[in-house]
Amino acid sequence: MAVDGLGAYDPQNIFARILRGEIPCRRVFEDAHALAFHDIAPRAPVHVLVIPKGAYVSFADFAATAPDAEIAGFFRAVGAVARQLGLEPPGYRLLSNMGADSGQEVPHFHVHLFGGGPLGPMLLPELAPAA
Ligand code: AMP
């Protein structure tokens, strides 16, 4: 079920539990600011989730409230993950769902990193406004 990406942080969300080691993950990267692991239901040949170690419900929360050092550290970690996975080149796509219209399911900010082959159109053409 989609979440609104706003309000109080739920420390029982699944990514908080992964960060605490209560639930296993297929880890690909970890540093002081971020943890990256394979998505359990991949939608591309490479589908990795990168999450900050701090408690932020969504991109909106992270962008508005995280200290600058955490924001810089997190996005540098995303770049490091892409390089580590051998995606720079040939390229990759980043996506972060925020709120109900996006279909965000897990209320802990995360970036999806997709790659491993041509990824197709950014969004479904039928969603674009008529020209
Ligand atoms: P979102 O819709 O942006 O909130 O994406 C949540 C993502 O988390 C989905 O792609 C799920 O497949 C993924 N996911 C949910 N539970 C787990 C888990 N235990 N380990 C890895 N990925 C998960």
Side-chain angles (χ1 to χ4, degrees), residues 104-128:
Q104 180 183 357
E105 288 181 353
V106 178
H108 180 112
F109 170 50
H110 51 282
V111 167
H112 297 256
L113 192 161
F114 301 104
L119 295 168
M122 187 162 58
L123 287 174
L124 297 174
E126 58 266 31
L127 293 180

Side-chain angles (χ1 to χ4, degrees), residues 22-45:
E22 296 169 5
I23 291 177
C25 70
R26 288 177 57 215
R27 184 172 56 188
V28 298
F29 177 95
E30 183 167 12
D31 70 5
H33 294 285
L35 173 69
F37 51 92
H38 290 281
D39 196 290
I40 203 167
R43 297 178 195 210

